[in-house]
Coordinates of all heavy atoms in Angstrom, one line a residue:
L105 N 2.4 41.1 -16.1 CA 1.6 41.9 -17.0 C 0.2 41.3 -17.2 O -0.8 41.9 -17.1 CB 2.3 42.2 -18.3 CG 1.5 43.0 -19.3 CD1 1.3 44.5 -18.8 CD2 2.2 43.0 -20.7
T108 N -1.8 41.4 -13.9 CA -2.3 42.7 -13.6 C -3.5 43.1 -14.5 O -4.4 43.8 -13.9 CB -1.1 43.7 -13.9 OG1 0.0 43.4 -13.0 CG2 -1.6 45.2 -13.6
H109 N -3.6 42.7 -15.7 CA -4.6 43.2 -16.6 C -5.6 42.2 -17.0 O -6.6 42.5 -17.8 CB -3.9 43.7 -17.9 CG -3.1 44.9 -17.6 ND1 -3.6 46.2 -17.3 CD2 -1.7 45.1 -17.6 CE1 -2.6 47.1 -17.1 NE2 -1.5 46.4 -17.3
E112 N -9.3 43.2 -16.5 CA -9.7 44.3 -17.4 C -9.9 43.8 -18.8 O -10.8 44.2 -19.5 CB -8.5 45.3 -17.3 CG -8.7 46.6 -18.1 CD -7.5 47.5 -17.9 OE1 -6.7 47.3 -17.0 OE2 -7.4 48.4 -18.7
W113 N -9.0 42.9 -19.3 CA -9.1 42.4 -20.7 C -10.4 41.6 -20.8 O -11.0 41.6 -21.8 CB -7.9 41.6 -21.1 CG -6.6 42.4 -21.1 CD1 -6.5 43.7 -21.4 CD2 -5.3 41.9 -20.9 NE1 -5.2 44.1 -21.4 CE2 -4.4 43.0 -21.1 CE3 -4.8 40.7 -20.7 CZ2 -3.1 42.9 -21.0 CZ3 -3.4 40.6 -20.5 CH2 -2.5 41.7 -20.7
Q116 N -13.2 43.8 -21.5 CA -13.2 44.4 -22.8 C -13.5 43.3 -23.9 O -13.9 43.7 -25.0 CB -11.9 45.1 -23.1 CG -11.6 46.3 -22.2 CD -10.2 46.8 -22.5 OE1 -9.5 46.3 -23.3 NE2 -9.9 47.9 -21.8
T145 N -5.5 44.1 -30.5 CA -4.3 44.5 -29.9 C -4.5 45.5 -28.8 O -5.4 46.3 -28.9 CB -3.4 45.3 -31.0 OG1 -3.1 44.3 -32.1 CG2 -2.1 45.8 -30.4
V146 N -3.8 45.3 -27.7 CA -4.0 46.2 -26.6 C -2.6 46.8 -26.3 O -1.6 46.2 -26.3 CB -4.4 45.3 -25.3 CG1 -4.4 46.2 -24.1 CG2 -5.7 44.7 -25.6
S147 N -2.6 48.1 -26.0 CA -1.4 48.8 -25.6 C -0.9 48.3 -24.3 O -1.8 48.0 -23.4 CB -1.7 50.3 -25.5 OG -0.6 51.0 -24.9
A148 N 0.3 48.1 -24.1 CA 0.9 47.7 -22.8 C 1.1 48.8 -21.9 O 1.7 48.6 -20.9 CB 2.2 46.9 -23.1
A149 N 0.5 49.9 -22.1 CA 0.6 51.1 -21.3 C -0.3 50.9 -20.0 O -0.9 49.8 -19.9 CB 0.0 52.3 -22.0
Q150 N -0.2 51.8 -19.1 CA -1.0 51.7 -17.8 C -2.4 51.3 -18.0 O -3.0 50.5 -17.4 CB -0.8 53.0 -17.0 CG 0.5 53.2 -16.4 CD 0.7 52.2 -15.2 OE1 1.0 51.0 -15.4 NE2 0.7 52.7 -14.0
K151 N -3.1 52.1 -18.9 CA -4.6 51.8 -19.1 C -4.7 51.4 -20.5 O -4.9 52.2 -21.4 CB -5.4 53.1 -18.8 CG -5.3 53.5 -17.4 CD -6.3 54.4 -17.0 CE -6.2 54.8 -15.5 NZ -7.4 54.8 -14.8
P152 N -4.6 50.1 -20.8 CA -4.7 49.6 -22.2 C -6.1 49.8 -22.8 O -7.1 49.8 -22.1 CB -4.4 48.1 -22.1 CG -4.5 47.8 -20.7 CD -4.4 49.0 -19.9
T153 N -6.0 50.1 -24.1 CA -7.3 50.2 -24.8 C -7.2 49.2 -26.0 O -6.2 48.8 -26.5 CB -7.5 51.6 -25.4 OG1 -6.3 51.9 -26.2 CG2 -7.6 52.7 -24.4
V154 N -8.4 48.7 -26.4 CA -8.5 47.7 -27.4 C -8.7 48.3 -28.7 O -9.5 49.2 -28.9 CB -9.6 46.7 -27.1 CG1 -9.7 45.7 -28.2 CG2 -9.4 46.1 -25.7

Side-chain angles (χ1 to χ4, degrees):
L105 178 66
T108 300
H109 294 287
E112 182 179 347
W113 295 334
Q116 294 176 0
T145 298
V146 174
S147 168
Q150 284 290 73
K151 295 197 178 224
T153 57
V154 178

